[in-house]
Amino acid sequence: MTIRDSTIAKLQQLPEPLLQEVSDFIDFITQKHLGKTAESQTEEKLVEVKEETQPKLKRGNLSRLRGIAKISAATDDPDSKDDYVSYLTEKYK
């Protein structure tokens, strides 16, 4: 006898008022399970979207950026250095 058959046999022996409680409990368990499934699917989608939207750094990008930043560091104007570093930071995020 399977668990399904055993459960059906028990259900057939229950009085009518208890069947409503069992039915409500089955609904509760079903919703709880569906909620967990939907939550895990949502988390998987978020991870997938995050991976898709993150920029992929190519090899050598940072070394070229460092070279540019070193050139800009040679100027004496501190404001222009900060502006340029901010510009590069935003550009290569």
Side-chain angles (χ1 to χ4, degrees):
M1 181 180 270
T2 66
I3 188 72
R4 183 180 304 272
D5 294 335
S6 173
T7 305
I8 290 171
K10 290 176 186 178
L11 285 172
Q12 289 173 342
Q13 295 175 4
L14 284 177
E16 196 67 29
L18 291 180
L19 285 176
Q20 184 59 49
E21 286 186 45
V22 171
S23 177
D24 291 343
F25 185 68
I26 291 171
D27 292 341
F28 168 74
I29 291 174
T30 303
Q31 288 300 317
K32 182 179 173 184
H33 177 71
L34 290 176
K36 285 183 180 179
T37 303
E39 184 178 305
S40 66
Q41 288 174 347
T42 302
E43 288 177 14
E44 290 171 5
K45 279 289 185 189
L46 286 174
V47 168
E48 184 179 312
V49 167
K50 183 178 177 183
E51 289 173 354
E52 289 175 359
T53 58
Q54 286 181 339
K56 305 274 191 277
L57 292 178
K58 294 180 184 175
R59 190 178 188 103
N61 279 354
L62 292 179
S63 63
R64 286 183 286 195
L65 178 61
R66 286 187 193 112
I68 292 171
K70 286 179 185 176
I71 291 169
S72 68
T75 65
D76 292 334
D77 185 16
D79 290 334
S80 65
K81 283 189 224 178
D82 293 337
D83 291 343
Y84 193 61
V85 169
S86 298
Y87 165 75
L88 290 175
T89 304
E90 287 299 315
K91 183 177 179 180
Y92 291 103
K93 262 188 181 178

